[in-house]
Amino acid sequence: MLNGSICFQQRVTQILYKDVKNAAELRRKAMEGNINGALVNPTMLVGPFQVLVAANKAVHLQTTGKMKTKTLNAEIIFNLSPTNNISEAFKRFGISDGDHSILVVVVHKSDEVQFVSDISAMVDGQQLPVDDVSSLSDFNKIKKLFKITPQEEKCGPLLDAVVCRMAIKDVL
Amino acid sequence: MAGQTTLSRFVGKADLVKQGAEGRVYRAQFLGKPTIVKERFRKRYRHPVLDEKLTHRRTVQEVRSILRCRRAGISAPVVYFVDYTSHCIFMEEIAGSSTVRDHIVSTQQANSCKELELQQLAERIGRILAKMHDEDVIHGDLTTSNMLLRCSSQDTESDLVLIDFGLSYISSLPEDKGVDLYVLEKAFLSSHPNTNVLFEKLLQSYTKSSKKSPAVIKKLDEVRLRGRKRSMVG
Amino acid sequence: MQSILCFFFPATMTVVIGFEGSANKIGVGIIRDGEVLSNPRRTYITPPGQGFMPSDTARHHRAVILTVLKEALEEAGLKPADIDCVAYTKGPGMGAPLVTVAIVARTVAQLWGKPLLGVNHCIGHIEMGRLITKASNPTVLYVSGGNTQVIAYSERRYRIFGETIDIAVGNCLDRFARVIKISNDPSPGYNIEQMAKTGTQYVELPYTVKGMDVSFSGILSYIEEAANKMLSSGQCTAADLCFSLQETVFAMLVEITERAMAHCSSQEVLIVGGVGCNLRLQEMMGVMCEERGAKLFATDDRFCIDNGAMIAQAGWEMFQSGQVTELEDSWITQRYRTDEVEVTWRD
């Protein structure tokens, strides 16, 4: 579990699971609005910072009334994607029924903690430290999707290249 | 201060680094990272319609050009977040860096044996600008203050990072690239008196590095001449 | 103690007469140690839609220069014998008018037996501005019909940090005035300024800033092309166009001035040159200065617009620092950059 602050005094908690057996059920619950969090495919993540960037932007756009999707959780998933195509974003960064690893992202007020045990009760899987997310990353797929050039990798880490595209995609 | 209230939504504490012509620059922690926030606040001297148009355009152009440069392998700060409502760009703080301007000034003061090192730096700048222009990025405000040297731990050569893309735009015209170099030439020679040789090195390496350089250098010569030939009546 | 003694018992005062006629104004001014004793001037005014041509302008200057000279001496209450030095505009400017004025200056210098001094016109504006406003080391915005420069002093030169890469801002305004037939009396810029006050609608125009440089040719060709169409279709009024043009070009000027100030860490701005007496430009510059905690210095039309006293003042500074121009060197030049002059009178 990892807890970080974002804008408007909100906090983001990330919980990572592997060997998940009930992905289909979780996905259905999330679509029905019965899970208070975004379910993210961790193989498309380079690190937890990427999620903070997406969540911060989602909360900002929600406050200014400029979200591209209907809910904050959907907006987080949308923001992780390098393109402005919503269904593509869900396909790549949301979870699929057969997935075995899931990152749950929850935006909350700093004093809220109840949801952690609620989510743990729902997920049938093994919790991992969030910093281990890169052990699950599919780097080749990420580089391909984000169109990272070999020259760009010389400028700095992959995470930088990914985050930069996420931050700028709305004006590309 | 209006800027501070906007920023306080995103960061706990922001220290004003400088108030440039483009806006205020703050240093802060953002999502746990050392971050530079560039805030283009409203310029009250400008007509509100013009102000909004310019401010928005420049914010967009800045982040677009940064990405375009990075894709081409030219170092520029990573953009973390852009707030188009308050016109703030949150970007990577280039840690342990100094401006090329300060570097040239201090090297010149130190001793003359480092002349070769400065020439190599000038050549590196020439190569990087040639690469940038080959990507059709026109920086728009090239000065030695808008280039940073980042000391890297492993190799001896420090990384050159381009910043301040607020006046940048995309163009393939040799005229635009020539004016870009002209702006740099003037800024370079006025900030560093008696560095004509150094700037010449920069242009030579620019010329060698880009196939498109002959047309650009020709335009640069034309623009220089325009300045000298202007009659300046009145 | 010595300096106090000097204050009470000054050495004899130095009187310099200055001749200016590089464009369509002809002026003769007399300065005595920082005091303007007289500064008469005439302007060659052309009909609406027309600019001033060099030979016509020179003819105008020839016709009035002796009258203006006589006025200058009478107003100052001085005789030729009281003058210590004769300063004239060496350049830059229009060839024929410059020659006309230089000939008169050379002639009186020889008649009166006084030393000559050829002065850079731009430096004249800067030194006059410094004298009148008491600005000590300002970033200078020099804006006129022929010049647009952002200047700062460093190491014995007035260095040009920013300038137009094509036409001057005053030239852009003058040529716009010709397009929509605004009167040249007293000056096109003044009439644009008055008309702009009743403009309400902001029309978007090209805005071109490149680092510390600006470009006005794009704006001019855009407005030349579009102005009469917009007016005849009733899309906007002439006043709206004046207003929008001023708002756009002045914003560009304030922006490059601010950039130069940030670059040089300067906290003073001095506006000089004919366009510098525009109150809207001064107002906008003032707002920028306030935002930066800087100070604005500007003068009115007596000293902003080309005049003889400014040449006398720069000449006074040069003369005091030991300079004179020998007769055989007393030529003129149409091109004379501000940064060519070694500033011998400042630290």
Side-chain angles (χ1 to χ4, degrees), chain C residues 86 94 136 146 166 194 213 217 229 257 263-264 284 289 299 312:
Chain C
V86 177
M94 289 170 38
S136 65
D166 38 59
Q194 304 318 311
D213 290 337
S217 64
K229 274 183 222 155
T257 307
H263 192 81
C264 306
M284 289 166 73
C289 285
T299 60

Side-chain angles (χ1 to χ4, degrees), chain C residues 292-337:
Chain C
R292 301 189 64 83
K295 221 173 153 198
L296 170 68
F297 298 92
T299 60
D300 60 30
D301 56 338
R302 286 171 300 166
F303 303 112
C304 255
I305 296 173
D306 294 351
N307 61 88
M310 64 185 239
I311 301 303
Q313 174 58 18
W316 186 90
E317 294 278 12
M318 293 166 79
F319 188 64
Q320 294 291 80
S321 73
Q323 292 194 52
V324 285
T325 303
E326 296 305 327
L327 188 63
E328 58 267 32
D329 299 325
S330 65
W331 33 273
I332 59 102
T333 171
Q334 284 171 266
R335 299 181 193 106
Y336 191 10
R337 283 179 67 85

Side-chain angles (χ1 to χ4, degrees), chain B residues 58 140 186 229-231 233, chain C residues 146 164 211 213 255 334-335:
Chain B
R58 289 176 178 178
K186 291 204 325 179
K229 280 202 168 166
R230 204 171 308 121
S231 69
V233 177
Chain C
T164 173
D213 290 337
E255 180 177 346
Q334 284 171 266
R335 299 181 193 106

Side-chain angles (χ1 to χ4, degrees), chain C residues 16-324:
Chain C
V16 179
I17 188 166
F19 289 80
E20 155 62 28
S22 59
N24 70 333
K25 282 97 189 164
I26 171 82
V28 181
I30 300 175
I31 292 256
R32 180 174 59 201
D33 288 1
E35 187 190 350
V36 181
L37 299 181
S38 62
N39 197 17
R41 170 173 67 199
R42 299 282 190 282
T43 305
Y44 172 52
I45 293 166
T46 50
Q50 283 179 31
F52 46 93
M53 305 305 286
S55 57
D56 300 336
T57 310
R59 193 173 307 125
H60 166 266
H61 290 1
R62 276 198 297 274
V64 299
I65 188 165
L66 294 180
T67 318
V68 180
L69 170 60
K70 202 166 153 226
E71 265 177 46
L73 286 168
E74 277 171 4
E75 210 181 299
L78 295 181
K79 301 179 295 300
D82 304 321
I83 306 284
D84 295 298
C85 175
V86 177
Y88 72 97
T89 307
K90 179 175 166 185
M94 289 170 38
L98 279 173
V99 167
T100 302
V101 175
I103 288 172
V104 174
R106 276 199 293 264
T107 309
V108 299
Q110 289 178 88
L111 280 173
W112 302 342
K114 305 292 179 186
L116 262 174
L117 252 180
V119 172
N120 179 300
H121 177 87
C122 317
I123 304 264
H125 275 296
I126 297 171
E127 292 307 337
M128 197 67 201
R130 288 181 63 222
L131 171 71
I132 299 294
T133 65
K134 309 284 177 231
S136 65
N137 185 22
T139 299
V140 181
L141 175 68
Y142 172 28
V143 274
S144 66
N147 285 282
T148 304
Q149 297 181 334
V150 181
I151 300 159
Y153 177 78
S154 144
E155 293 177 46
R156 306 231 128 187
R157 302 261 165 191
Y158 282 113
R159 294 181 197 273
I160 302 170
F161 280 80
E163 63 188 314
T164 173
I165 59 167
D166 38 59
I167 59 171
V169 62
N171 191 239
C172 178
L173 293 170
D174 292 356
R175 283 160 71 176
F176 161 73
R178 276 178 238 162
V179 171
I180 63 165
K181 300 277 192 304
I182 291 175
S183 164
N184 290 331
D185 188 9
S187 74
Y190 177 82
N191 291 323
I192 291 173
E193 181 180 358
Q194 304 318 311
M195 284 174 75
K197 287 178 184 164
T198 58
T200 49
Q201 189 196 341
Y202 174 75
V203 181
E204 238 183 85
L205 297 169
Y207 184 100
T208 320
V209 165
K210 293 169 193 286
M212 283 184 259
D213 290 337
V214 282
S215 155
F216 297 109
S217 64
I219 301 170
L220 181 65
S221 48
Y222 177 87
I223 209 161
E224 275 176 343
E225 171 74 24
N228 286 315
K229 274 183 222 155
M230 287 193 275
L231 293 178
S232 55
S233 69
Q235 195 189 326
C236 64
T237 65
D240 291 337
L241 283 181
C242 292
F243 167 71
S244 305
L245 183 61
Q246 280 200 164
E247 290 302 308
T248 307
V249 299
F250 292 167
M252 290 163 56
L253 295 173
V254 175
E255 180 177 346
I256 60 165
T257 307
E258 184 172 19
R259 191 160 291 127
M261 289 171 77
H263 192 81
C264 306
S265 309
S266 161
Q267 289 292 339
E268 286 182 349
V269 181
L270 170 65
I271 311 181
V272 300
V275 181
C277 53
N278 186 300
L279 294 178
R280 177 60 185 146
L281 173 60
Q282 292 185 9
E283 180 186 32
M284 289 166 73
M285 195 67 85
V287 173
M288 179 275 280
C289 285
E290 206 179 294
E291 273 171 0
R292 301 189 64 83
K295 221 173 153 198
L296 170 68
F297 298 92
T299 60
D300 60 30
D301 56 338
R302 286 171 300 166
F303 303 112
C304 255
I305 296 173
D306 294 351
N307 61 88
M310 64 185 239
I311 301 303
Q313 174 58 18
W316 186 90
E317 294 278 12
M318 293 166 79
F319 188 64
Q320 294 291 80
S321 73
Q323 292 194 52
V324 285

Side-chain angles (χ1 to χ4, degrees), chain A residues 87-113:
Chain A
S87 57
E88 159 104 8
F90 273 86
K91 208 171 110 199
R92 306 282 182 195
F93 295 87
I95 60 162
S96 307
D97 290 353
D99 282 358
H100 298 293
S101 55
I102 295 176
L103 180 83
V104 185
V105 183
V106 184
V107 174
H108 58 94
K109 294 246 164 31
S110 54
D111 48 0
E112 286 174 349
V113 281

